[in-house]
Amino acid sequence: MSTIRSAAIAVIAAVGVSFASAAHADSGTIRFSIYKAAFFIGGAGGEGTLTFRGRNYPISIGGISGGLAFGASKTYFKGTVRHIRRARDVAGVYGAAGGGGALGRGAQVIVMTNDKGAELQLTGRQVGLQINADLSGMTIGLK
């Protein structure tokens, strides 16, 4: 009987710790622009701002892509970053599989996660000629 009680207490404690850690995670807003050029293999770079707990943090963006990709574009992204405890939690490598395209002006929507669990939910407005069906990666760093 005491073994069952001890196991039940351990499970309740573990669940409480996981709820507590999720409760302490916060969210912020993020805005950045990326210049992208590709001919099968592409590169991207840009900069922007993370707003978290009333403070602005400058960020830098870098990335590569491979697959069927052609053209050049500039995309303006804005959105939310969730599940972060500190501003530096947004820094890291993000990956997503996606496809889309824009001729002139176009819209993009993307959700990406990094290795720290930070989740970006972004909408973007693209300008330029870009056609892609690729796997993309992006790195965000705090300046």
Side-chain angles (χ1 to χ4, degrees):
M1 199 64 139
S2 67
T3 305
I4 294 172
R5 184 179 307 149
S6 296
I9 290 171
V11 168
I12 290 170
V15 169
V17 168
S18 66
F19 279 133
S21 64
H24 288 98
D26 210 345
S27 63
T29 59
I30 193 165
R31 292 178 177 266
F32 57 91
S33 58
I34 294 179
Y35 293 95
K36 184 176 180 182
F39 186 75
F40 289 106
I41 296 176
E47 59 187 17
T49 305
L50 166 69
T51 303
F52 182 65
R53 294 184 180 158
R55 291 190 57 202
N56 292 328
Y57 299 88
I59 58 172
S60 60
I61 312 293
I64 59 169
S65 62
L68 179 59
F70 300 97
S73 65
K74 181 176 183 181
T75 305
Y76 302 91
F77 284 104
K78 65 180 179 177
T80 303
V81 58
R82 298 176 192 266
H83 312 298
I84 59 174
R85 290 181 178 76
R86 300 171 289 281
R88 68 177 176 217
D89 290 345
V90 76
V93 177
Y94 292 80
L103 178 58
R105 294 183 178 269
Q108 292 191 355
V109 177
I110 192 164
V111 176
M112 304 175 91
T113 305
N114 75 5
D115 60 331
K116 297 174 192 135
E119 179 184 88
L120 297 178
Q121 297 177 350
L122 304 168
T123 59
R125 182 175 45 88
Q126 184 172 335
V127 179
L129 172 61
Q130 181 83 31
I131 298 175
N132 65 304
D134 62 355
L135 293 174
S136 297
M138 177 176 73
T139 303
I140 295 179
L142 290 176
K143 290 185 179 180

